[in-house]
Amino acid sequence: MAELELRHLRLVCAIADEPSLTRAAARLGVSQPSLSATLQRIERRVGGRLFERERTGMRVTELGAFLVSSARVVLADMDTLLAGTAARTRKAAGEVRIGACPGAIGPGLARHVTEMLPTDQVTLEVAGIGQLAQDLETRRLDFAVLDECAGFPLPTSDRLDIRQLVAEPVFVALPETHRLSGESAVKLADLADEDWVVAPIRDGNDQVVLSRACAAAGFSPRVRHEVNEPATSRELVAAGAVALAQPTSRSGAGIVVRPLAGDPIILERWLAWNPAGPHAKHAADVYRCAALAYVRQLDRNPDYQRWWDTHPEAHRQLTRVVGDDVTA
């Protein structure tokens, strides 16, 4: 039992709270196979089954019920400890801690928050969606921009407030020498024989999202590389692989970023915050900061700028908040 970590306790409680392992995985921002493997490791450590797998879902065992009830006490105490410690280490003017999933929006958000809010320090954390949601819960972060594909719920609880920024298509990154690099839009089915670069299963739902979209296009993707670092991913694409890409990603340095025909994958971006946090009163201002940071990325990819101009319904709320203030 001494080998169990806080993340293991949170995982077990999440499974107990959900009717199925799939729902628990979505809540935690991980894949179902990854969650199942982690649960098996935890059960080996405690020396017994915590849940029985039944056709209707997961049923907690007597051992599991004891562990879950004890874990809730430990986690509640730890959350109180962390929140109190974080609040006491803030500087007098009020440090603002923000987070974002990997991508270009984080630095721009930090810059605008620094300019707009009455604070003497802004810190930025770049992490996966599950980690960001957890850090918001424990008030290690004040605000975070969370990215999740449509059809997958955010791994947030009712203790967090969320507001959508935009829903947009996912593009594809190809080597600039690829036979389809000159197309205005690439059919997913035409990439059936390619080697794919995808984030590891433990870091999110990217592989599930890709597999579902490819299955609808009639093939199973050949995942050759598992990488969750943008620069390395770009190098692998330049060397011959392909990868899903955020629509604001730049072409260049041996790669091109193109739309996928028919927009088979939609990415949703949300601003999330803890209403009990010390800066929650500035949520509207931080939302505007996130909107500005995002809109000022549009010229990074002309194909995305064209999509943006022809789909005002996808970003109506964001555009309303930004207004005409879109200069860099």
Side-chain angles (χ1 to χ4, degrees), residues 136-209:
L136 286 169
E137 292 270 2
T138 59
R139 291 168 56 184
R140 293 175 185 167
L141 289 176
D142 297 303
F143 304 93
V145 175
L146 308 179
D147 300 346
E148 185 58 278
C149 286
F152 291 85
L154 293 175
T156 55
S157 73
D158 56 8
R159 291 194 293 176
L160 299 182
D161 288 343
I162 60 173
R163 184 179 178 187
Q164 190 177 69
L165 285 161
V166 65
E168 62 191 7
V170 172
F171 282 19
V172 65
L174 308 168
E176 64 181 7
T177 57
H178 196 278
R179 69 188 190 283
L180 301 175
S181 63
E183 298 292 322
S184 58
V186 176
K187 294 180 181 179
L188 190 55
D190 290 341
L191 301 175
D193 296 326
E194 305 294 337
D195 292 334
W196 285 86
V197 184
V198 188
I201 289 178
R202 65 178 180 274
D203 292 335
N205 295 317
D206 290 18
Q207 292 200 34
V208 178
V209 169

Side-chain angles (χ1 to χ4, degrees), residues 165-171 184-185 247-248 258-268 294 298 301-316 319:
L165 285 161
V166 65
E168 62 191 7
V170 172
F171 282 19
S184 58
T248 53
R258 295 285 184 259
L260 284 169
D263 300 338
I265 304 174
I266 298 296
L267 181 70
E268 298 174 338
Y294 193 75
L298 295 181
N301 189 324
D303 287 329
Y304 184 52
Q305 178 73 70
R306 284 189 287 272
W307 185 92
W308 180 277
D309 292 340
T310 56
H311 293 80
E313 73 285 350
H315 51 84
R316 186 169 288 112
T319 305

Side-chain angles (χ1 to χ4, degrees), residues 273-323:
W273 66 95
N274 192 323
H279 300 289
K281 63 183 179 181
H282 297 299
D285 291 329
V286 176
Y287 183 89
R288 187 167 189 275
C289 290
L292 285 169
Y294 193 75
V295 170
R296 290 172 181 173
Q297 299 180 71
L298 295 181
D299 61 357
R300 293 165 59 91
N301 189 324
D303 287 329
Y304 184 52
Q305 178 73 70
R306 284 189 287 272
W307 185 92
W308 180 277
D309 292 340
T310 56
H311 293 80
E313 73 285 350
H315 51 84
R316 186 169 288 112
Q317 181 175 216
L318 182 150
T319 305
R320 186 185 305 117
V321 170
V322 173

Side-chain angles (χ1 to χ4, degrees), residues 233-252:
S233 179
R234 290 179 69 94
E235 289 291 338
L236 289 168
V237 171
V242 300
L244 297 178
Q246 296 184 7
T248 53
S249 300
R250 296 183 189 275
S251 295

